[in-house]
Amino acid sequence: MRSRRSTRWFFLLFCLSIGLLLGVTAVIPTHADEQRAYSITPQGNDSNCDFIAVANGIQNIGGDGEGAYLLARTLIPQAGRDYKEVFYTLFGSQGSDQPFAPDNLGAAPEAFSGLYQALGYNAVAVAAPAGVIDLDFTRAIRDMLAAEPDRAFAHVWITPYDYDPMARVLSVEETGEQERMLYPYHEVVVMLASDPERFVVLDGLVGYPYELSLSDMAYLLRGFNSVIVVSRNDGSFEDHQRFQISREGQPYVVAPLGGPYLSFARTRFREAYQTWGRVIGQPLRVVERGRSTVLVPGEYVQYVGTYADGVTLAQLGSRMAEELLQAGLIAPETVTLSGSADLTNGILLWVEGQFGSDERFHQMFGRTITPEFWLSAEQMQAVLPASVTLASDSYAQPDGYIVVLTERAMIVWTPTCGAWLVPLGQVYYQQMHHRLGME
């Protein structure tokens, strides 16, 4: 709980008096701990409820809570930036150890994008419109937990009786965006109680498990109405990927662009990051060249987070070039292994119109690795899923397509439609669906 009164006792008082604030007897020490021993890491006079929630959640589904706490602190950057990207603090690299203050607020839900996957768990982001008491949303969280009652928890952001949804406005340097910051708030873990109309709450400030009704939790969630539901993956690596993909399209499930991926997208795409960097699915773990990374699928790109090396974009254009070579659709000498081929004609004009200059385009999507080459409609359909729309008239191009590949993108051009960027992120995400038998 972030408060202008930086004493631990204030927050203990808040947590213990939620029921009084609501006008009901909401906080009940749970008897569930008589049947199950919950482990709660205590929180001091600091703003570490973010990382404490990670520890409490992981510990109580059978994982290493202390290790998760330490790794979470490493993986979530600490800087005085938009708290959708980082742990918001003006106190330096160990700012989360400082007392609660408006300048030391922690992270918003989006900042945890990819974190739990990096820790080795399944994790799904769910959200409803902020500022609204939505009991159906809370029931949806309950139902997700009920599907795996001993293996799942929800990391939730709660707000007290009174809060300011615009306590501060942060300016994002790369994009010029003005981002609102909510204050105060607190982060806790909830698990299922024996009564399906109640949650067990694990709070580092309180120190013992207590219960809240679904309606009371709906009230406390209203500020953000954003939650991460985390569960163990006791199956194979592919089972984790299937789980992440299978949650797409379910009620309240969202695919936020947050954390280091958001920082990277804003830096790379600037004002256009919501166009070229738009996310289309949940983060999931992948293994490439022998190392595990967290992939965030986008429409045109795929973000790859190794954390040791930061975030980068997958080389989807180079991957497409390899596939075209293997299919015999282009000759080996077509692909430029070093240097960069020039963009020309209508494709160059389109790039300059969309991105301001070809240099800016190359900063986003890498160097050009092929000159213009031609593919027939049938050849194009052979390498791209039919669900990927190429243009307003799709594959009905009797004269085929002029194509250029860069390291991370595919540009096509026709006389009737001009040039456009093919959504290679979507193409290869759908290939993953197919490989996992999910089509």
Side-chain angles (χ1 to χ4, degrees):
M1 160 67 178
R2 332 290 183 180
S3 171
R4 301 180 197 280
R5 297 178 57 187
S6 59
T7 66
R8 182 171 182 240
W9 295 111
F10 175 84
F11 294 97
L12 285 170
L13 179 63
F14 160 66
C15 294
L16 293 172
S17 63
I18 293 175
L20 296 176
L21 291 173
L22 296 176
V24 295
T25 307
V27 178
I28 301 175
T30 180
H31 297 291
D33 55 336
E34 297 175 1
Q35 304 169 11
R36 174 179 180 178
Y38 291 95
S39 174
I40 300 179
T41 301
Q43 182 182 348
N45 180 26
D46 54 47
S47 61
N48 271 316
C49 64
D50 313 73
F51 307 132
I52 294 290
V54 174
N56 286 334
I58 296 300
Q59 188 71 37
N60 285 283
I61 62 171
D64 177 6
E66 182 178 358
Y69 171 92
L70 294 173
L71 191 55
R73 287 192 60 151
T74 301
L75 298 185
I76 295 183
Q78 299 191 53
R81 276 188 63 102
D82 181 1
Y83 69 155
K84 296 186 178 99
E85 304 177 19
V86 298
F87 189 101
Y88 185 87
T89 173
L90 300 182
F91 289 103
S93 61
Q94 300 302 313
S96 58
D97 296 328
Q98 300 294 327
F100 303 100
D103 288 339
N104 190 38
L105 295 178
E110 295 89 343
F112 285 75
S113 178
L115 170 69
Y116 282 110
Q117 291 84 350
L119 292 173
Y121 295 86
N122 300 334
V124 178
V126 292
V132 177
I133 300 173
D134 190 336
L135 186 56
D136 287 338
F137 175 55
T138 310
R139 291 191 182 109
I141 297 168
R142 184 268 316 274
D143 293 344
M144 293 178 73
L145 294 176
E148 303 178 276
D150 297 321
R151 296 153 36 95
F153 68 90
H155 182 163
V156 305
W157 280 252
I158 62 176
T159 51
Y161 182 76
D162 187 23
Y163 68 93
D164 184 353
M166 295 182 60
R168 177 175 293 167
V169 178
L170 306 174
S171 180
V172 180
E173 180 180 355
E174 295 88 348
T175 64
E177 292 171 291
Q178 301 295 300
E179 294 286 349
R180 299 175 178 179
M181 185 174 69
L182 184 152
Y183 177 92
Y185 62 90
H186 183 40
E187 294 172 47
V188 298
V189 162
V190 299
M191 303 184 75
L192 280 186
S194 56
D195 180 348
E197 293 302 309
R198 305 186 74 82
F199 290 114
V200 174
V201 181
L202 309 180
D203 185 340
L205 287 175
V206 175
Y208 60 81
Y210 60 89
E211 292 187 4
L212 285 176
S213 70
L214 297 189
S215 59
D216 292 339
M217 183 57 69
Y219 179 85
L220 294 174
L221 292 177
R222 74 201 185 286
F224 285 96
N225 269 343
S226 187
V227 171
I228 302 173
V229 180
V230 183
S231 61
R232 290 203 323 261
N233 172 46
D234 296 331
S236 67
F237 193 78
E238 287 75 17
D239 287 335
H240 159 73
Q241 295 175 333
R242 291 188 187 96
F243 181 95
Q244 295 297 114
I245 293 173
S246 69
R247 294 315 186 257
E248 295 166 12
Q250 293 189 4
Y252 297 107
V253 172
V254 295
L257 177 59
Y261 305 95
L262 175 56
S263 302
F264 179 88
R266 283 169 160 170
T267 301
R268 178 60 59 93
F269 302 115
R270 296 181 185 169
E271 300 85 1
Y273 79 91
Q274 292 178 325
T275 299
W276 306 115
R278 188 177 73 89
V279 170
I280 59 175
Q282 296 291 314
L284 70 167
R285 293 194 309 283
V286 297
V287 173
E288 294 183 349
R289 294 179 175 86
R291 65 176 180 175
S292 177
T293 66
V294 176
L295 182 148
V296 176
E299 184 175 13
Y300 294 94
V301 298
Q302 290 183 349
Y303 302 95
V304 181
T306 63
Y307 288 98
D309 302 320
V311 175
T312 186
L313 296 179
Q315 301 265 332
L316 300 182
S318 298
R319 180 173 171 180
M320 178 59 70
E322 291 178 4
E323 293 181 3
L324 292 173
L325 282 169
Q326 292 174 4
L329 297 179
I330 59 176
E333 58 270 19
T334 303
V335 181
T336 304
L337 298 179
S338 62
S340 179
D342 292 330
L343 297 176
T344 59
N345 304 322
I347 288 180
L348 175 61
L349 292 175
W350 178 81
V351 162
E352 291 175 337
Q354 286 288 324
F355 300 94
S357 68
D358 60 341
E359 290 85 0
R360 180 65 188 139
F361 171 77
H362 291 311
Q363 289 174 5
M364 296 181 183
F365 292 104
R367 67 184 179 87
T368 308
I369 61 174
T370 71
E372 294 182 355
F373 61 91
W374 179 86
L375 291 178
S376 70
E378 293 76 15
Q379 291 170 330
M380 188 71 83
Q381 193 165 13
V383 298
L384 299 180
S387 58
V388 175
T389 302
L390 281 173
S392 58
D393 52 353
S394 190
Y395 297 116
Q397 294 289 333
D399 296 326
Y401 300 88
I402 299 296
V403 180
V404 168
L405 291 171
T406 74
E407 291 173 303
R408 294 182 286 271
M410 181 182 197
I411 313 172
V412 299
W413 178 89
T414 70
T416 56
C417 298
W420 65 95
L421 210 60
V422 173
L424 287 184
Q426 180 184 344
V427 168
Y428 287 112
Y429 192 46
Q430 295 212 340
Q431 282 193 12
M432 180 181 289
H433 284 222
H434 179 72
R435 177 177 60 80
L436 295 170
M438 302 190 67
E439 290 183 336

